[in-house]
Amino acid sequence: DPDDLALSCDIDGEVMQDGRTSRLIFSVPTLIEHLSGVTELYPGDIIFTGTPGGVGNAREPKRFLQAGEVLTSRIEGVGELRNTFRDA
């Protein structure tokens, strides 16, 4: 059910964000309907919807990514994406 998938994000295994698509302001079908009305969507397109609570800037103390840390983002039934950060 795309309207109730688990979403999560961790840094080096520490969970930072944990939510569900059922908590989005607009349902997944509504987002797709709106976007397809203004642009053509193709298989593999990614739709950014915002983020669950837990963003580093809103934490106390604040938490920002550091060089060498691995950020893993997951969507239930879709997969995960890992990014290793480095100094610019």
Side-chain angles (χ1 to χ4, degrees):
D1 177 5
D3 279 321
D4 192 34
L5 299 175
L7 307 168
S8 67
C9 170
D10 67 61
I11 300 172
D12 293 336
E14 180 184 353
V15 176
M16 297 286 132
Q17 296 177 288
D18 189 18
R20 300 196 71 80
T21 55
S22 59
R23 303 215 45 220
L24 292 170
I25 294 170
F26 300 104
S27 70
V28 172
T30 299
L31 291 168
I32 292 170
E33 179 183 3
H34 176 75
L35 286 171
S36 65
V38 295
T39 190
E40 190 168 355
L41 296 175
Y42 297 96
D45 281 351
I46 298 172
I47 299 172
F48 292 92
T49 61
T51 184
V55 175
N57 190 31
R59 290 177 169 268
E60 264 321 311
K62 296 185 181 323
R63 173 70 166 87
F64 299 100
L65 292 164
Q66 303 294 317
E69 291 181 327
V70 178
L71 173 71
T72 304
S73 302
R74 292 180 188 81
I75 302 175
E76 177 183 17
V78 175
E80 66 181 34
L81 176 67
R82 290 185 191 157
N83 294 284
T84 301
F85 289 83
R86 62 184 185 106
D87 288 329

